[in-house]
Structure formats: structure tokens, C-alpha cells
Amino acid sequence: MENLSETLKRQAEALNACKKGLRNFPETEQGMIERWKENLDFALENNFPSVEIIRDGFDRSLLHKNLIFVDEHINIDYAPNGVYVLNGACTGVLHFREWAAAAVYVRHESHIHIIADDFAKVFVRLYDGGEADVCDIGDSVVKEYDRRR
């Protein structure tokens, strides 16, 4: 039976991933998450990896540390800076405050409420059936990009 790294590398090859992305393919979960986020546009356009692999193949606390969520309710006040990826059927609220800067990728059937205030800047990208209700307060900026097909 092949391990998670071998499975993901084989699937990426089948999707014609670039040679640079496949070179020295990571063996650790953290390494695979970092490689995935480095190549997020390719991954999201190809629905790679599947929600099932993300949910069942990776440690949930490690996913959360990397701002990745799968099929869960999220309620984060004072959401930290970073790149968020909501997979599957996530729901809840992300509240960005005090000069926060973030990108939020909303995928599959996720539906999230995003609040930005105190000069926060948030870029939201919608994929698949993902939805976001946004509220920008004061001098914050929220830009929404619809990548749904």
C-alpha cells in the first residue's frame, strides 16, 4: 500500500503538474501542506487533492495550524493574517481586525461570513459552490473574486 505522499504525487502527475512541483516531493504532512499552498491555483483548478484525502489523510490540528478547514464550523474572532482554505462544507464566521491581511479560498459547498474592520484587507476567492457573505466596516477592504464555474 502506498503512503499519502506517493498517492498525492501520483495524482499530481496524472493532472500534469509541473516538474518543479513534483521534484523532491515532500514526505511529511507539513511539507505536503506547504507544497500544496505554494501551488494553490493549480490545486484548486484541479480539485486536488479531494476533500476526502484532505479530511482523512491529514492531522486535523496540523490543518488548523495552517489555516485549512474541512467540513466544520469555524468561528474565529481576531482571525490571524494568512491564507485560509475552506474545503467541503464549512460554515461560520471569520472576523479580521486591526490591520489584518488575509486571503480566503472558499471551496466546494462552504458558506462563510467574513467581517473585516480596523483597516483589515481581505481577498476572498470563491470556487465550486462556495459562498461568502462579507461585511467591511470603516476603512477595511474586502475584495471578492468569483472563480466558480
Side-chain angles (χ1 to χ4, degrees), residues 4-73:
L4 182 59
S5 177
E6 292 167 346
T7 299
L8 292 177
K9 183 176 181 182
R10 184 178 41 77
Q11 289 177 359
E13 287 172 336
L15 293 168
N16 296 316
C18 68
K19 288 183 179 19
K20 180 183 174 193
L22 295 171
R23 192 175 314 126
N24 299 321
F25 204 81
E27 293 288 326
T28 67
E29 286 187 27
Q30 181 61 43
M32 287 183 275
I33 288 170
E34 289 169 7
R35 180 69 52 93
W36 182 65
K37 286 182 101 174
E38 289 167 2
N39 297 283
L40 205 49
D41 289 332
F42 167 83
L44 298 182
E45 289 297 324
N46 290 284
N47 196 30
F48 171 76
S50 69
V51 173
E52 294 77 22
I53 288 179
I54 298 169
R55 181 184 57 234
D56 302 335
F58 289 88
D59 178 72
R60 183 77 51 146
S61 63
L62 186 60
L63 291 172
H64 290 174
K65 177 182 168 195
N66 286 279
L67 305 176
I68 300 168
F69 302 90
V70 185
D71 292 333
E72 57 195 294
H73 183 77

Side-chain angles (χ1 to χ4, degrees), residues 64 67-69 72-86 90-97 100 102-106 110-117 120 122-124 131-137 142:
H64 290 174
L67 305 176
I68 300 168
F69 302 90
E72 57 195 294
H73 183 77
I74 306 162
N75 188 10
I76 304 176
D77 197 9
Y78 289 93
N81 295 342
V83 176
Y84 293 72
V85 187
L86 282 55
C90 292
T91 59
V93 177
L94 294 172
H95 193 162
F96 297 94
R97 302 174 184 259
V104 181
Y105 293 81
V106 184
S110 294
H111 188 152
I112 193 76
H113 185 71
I114 296 171
I115 304 168
D117 61 27
V122 182
F123 299 91
V124 181
E131 295 182 21
D133 299 319
V134 299
C135 177
D136 53 340
I137 301 168
V142 178

